[in-house]
Amino acid sequence: MSTNQNSYQLHLNSEDPKNLYAHLIHIAEGFKPMKVAVVHANDMFSFESSLEAAKMGIIDPIFIGTKSIMEKMSSQLKTDINQYEIIDSDDSIQSAIIATQMAKENKVKALIKGKIHTDDLMLPIVSRTSGLRVDKKRISHVFIVSAPNYHKPLFLTDAAINIDPDLNTKVSIIQNAIDLFISIYKRKPKVAIISAVETVTERLPSTIHAAALCKMTQRGQIINGIVDGPLAFDNAISKEAAISKGVESEVSGDPDILVAPNIEAGNMLYKQMRYMSNIEGAGIVVGAKVPVILTSRSEEEIMSRIASCAIAVAMQNNNNSI
């Protein structure tokens, strides 16, 4: 990677998982820059973060968007945009269609969201004619966070794509997260399926789903993970809380992955951690043939986007088997 020093490259040699951004970028070191399409790069956040990731040697971007706008932003940043490939597109939906076709033709290995609504970005990707769907898999989103009071990076899924997933969708959500975890860390993750309580009750359908998902893991319908649930958040994260409630679990106190019951619970949990606890976080859409770097436009943090690019690089370059 480049040794160019700037405010976005502090502690990049750190191997400490608690320093999440540096940790993820460190994992991506050693791989050649990944060719990516920045989809409708008409906003300064996606444009600047992609340029910084390129300077670090993480990605090799193709910018799709309004050329005149990108040239103006480039001038403001004192950067020569002409060193990168540019595809002039004034319409965000058309930009997404162009990017999807490039991914289908293997011209790019990942997509980065620019100034485009998430639904408009994802629509051509999930289309049955896109060539990017994987048989029997659903697309889902994974956040990776580093909390001050937790001893390792924590995956949270799905807080951005699937609104109220049914049982089969949750199978894909869990398997996608497991596959991503293994591609980065090369070991079986511990997976906690979260609900409001740790006992199975028909009054809370998420607890019934959790029990079924554990049995499906035993039967090999979910593989390469240690799965337990339902677990309330406290006895998932805290071994002491689990013991006090009489919960015996290999996962309690040491999960690598938290599975939310629905998008409302997952999204609120993530944003509470980000905005009230000031944790570091990065995210990626998985389950398609190429990853999609997708972060909220309200979360304008350059390092979060760069770390998300690093996740995509590690995912695409590492074998998903153990």
Side-chain angles (χ1 to χ4, degrees), residues 281-299:
I284 191 170
V285 175
V286 291
K289 290 184 179 178
V290 298
V292 182
I293 290 88
L294 180 71
T295 55
S296 170
R297 269 189 263 173
S298 64
E299 187 181 35

Side-chain angles (χ1 to χ4, degrees), residues 32-95:
K32 69 178 183 179
M34 182 173 65
K35 183 71 76 172
V36 304
V38 187
V39 185
H40 214 61
N42 281 23
D43 64 306
M44 183 60 82
F45 173 50
S46 64
F47 185 72
E48 183 179 8
S49 59
S50 298
L51 286 175
E52 291 299 329
K55 290 177 184 177
M56 293 182 186
I58 298 172
I59 63 171
D60 179 11
I62 297 173
F63 291 99
I64 306 173
T66 305
K67 187 174 181 179
S68 60
I69 293 176
M70 290 187 285
E71 287 176 338
K72 183 178 180 180
M73 292 188 296
S74 178
S75 177
Q76 292 173 352
L77 295 172
K78 296 180 172 56
T79 300
D80 181 14
I81 187 65
N82 293 313
Q83 63 184 300
Y84 303 106
E85 183 177 349
I86 300 172
I87 297 176
D88 196 8
S89 170
D90 291 330
D91 183 79
S92 62
I93 295 176
Q94 185 61 28
S95 296

Side-chain angles (χ1 to χ4, degrees), residues 163-177:
I163 296 173
D164 190 19
D166 59 19
L167 184 62
N168 287 332
T169 301
K170 286 183 179 179
V171 171
S172 283
I173 288 171
I174 293 172
Q175 193 64 63
N176 286 344

Side-chain angles (χ1 to χ4, degrees), residues 32 36 40 78 82 92 111 120-121 141 150 187-188 199 205 233 277 281 285 309:
K32 69 178 183 179
V36 304
H40 214 61
K78 296 180 172 56
N82 293 313
S92 62
L111 306 180
D120 291 336
L121 172 62
H141 188 275
Y150 196 65
R187 63 175 175 84
K188 279 188 175 184
T199 53
F233 184 80
S277 302
V285 175
C309 290

Side-chain angles (χ1 to χ4, degrees), residues 143-172:
F143 280 117
I144 304 178
V145 300
S146 178
N149 296 326
Y150 196 65
H151 56 283
K152 58 184 175 179
L154 191 61
F155 286 40
L156 173 63
T157 191
D158 180 340
I161 297 292
N162 294 283
I163 296 173
D164 190 19
D166 59 19
L167 184 62
N168 287 332
T169 301
K170 286 183 179 179
V171 171
S172 283

Side-chain angles (χ1 to χ4, degrees), residues 295-313:
T295 55
S296 170
R297 269 189 263 173
S298 64
E299 187 181 35
E300 295 190 358
E301 184 178 322
I302 300 295
M303 279 305 303
S304 176
R305 182 67 69 97
I306 294 171
S308 299
C309 290
I311 296 170
V313 170

Side-chain angles (χ1 to χ4, degrees), residues 132-265:
L132 300 185
R133 296 183 60 165
V134 179
D135 289 344
K136 299 181 180 179
K137 292 188 76 171
R138 288 289 296 266
I139 291 172
S140 59
H141 188 275
V142 180
F143 280 117
I144 304 178
V145 300
S146 178
N149 296 326
Y150 196 65
H151 56 283
K152 58 184 175 179
L154 191 61
F155 286 40
L156 173 63
T157 191
D158 180 340
I161 297 292
N162 294 283
I163 296 173
D164 190 19
D166 59 19
L167 184 62
N168 287 332
T169 301
K170 286 183 179 179
V171 171
S172 283
I173 288 171
I174 293 172
Q175 193 64 63
N176 286 344
I178 289 172
D179 291 346
L180 175 62
F181 183 91
I182 291 173
S183 74
I184 296 173
Y185 293 110
K186 300 297 184 182
R187 63 175 175 84
K188 279 188 175 184
K190 295 179 180 180
V191 182
I193 305 173
I194 303 300
S195 185
V197 297
E198 61 279 351
T199 53
V200 179
T201 171
E202 63 181 356
R203 291 178 295 175
L204 276 176
S206 62
T207 66
I208 298 174
H209 277 185
L213 291 163
C214 291
K215 181 57 69 174
M216 293 170 84
T217 303
Q218 292 178 8
R219 296 289 187 266
Q221 293 170 269
I222 298 170
I223 61 172
N224 293 333
I226 302 166
V227 180
D228 196 12
L231 291 169
F233 184 80
D234 58 346
N235 51 62
I237 293 296
S238 168
K239 192 69 174 177
E240 290 73 18
I243 292 172
S244 71
K245 290 187 177 182
V247 176
E248 295 184 8
S249 171
E250 187 178 356
V251 172
S252 288
D254 194 38
D256 298 290
I257 300 170
L258 298 181
V259 181
N262 54 45
I263 196 172
E264 292 171 309

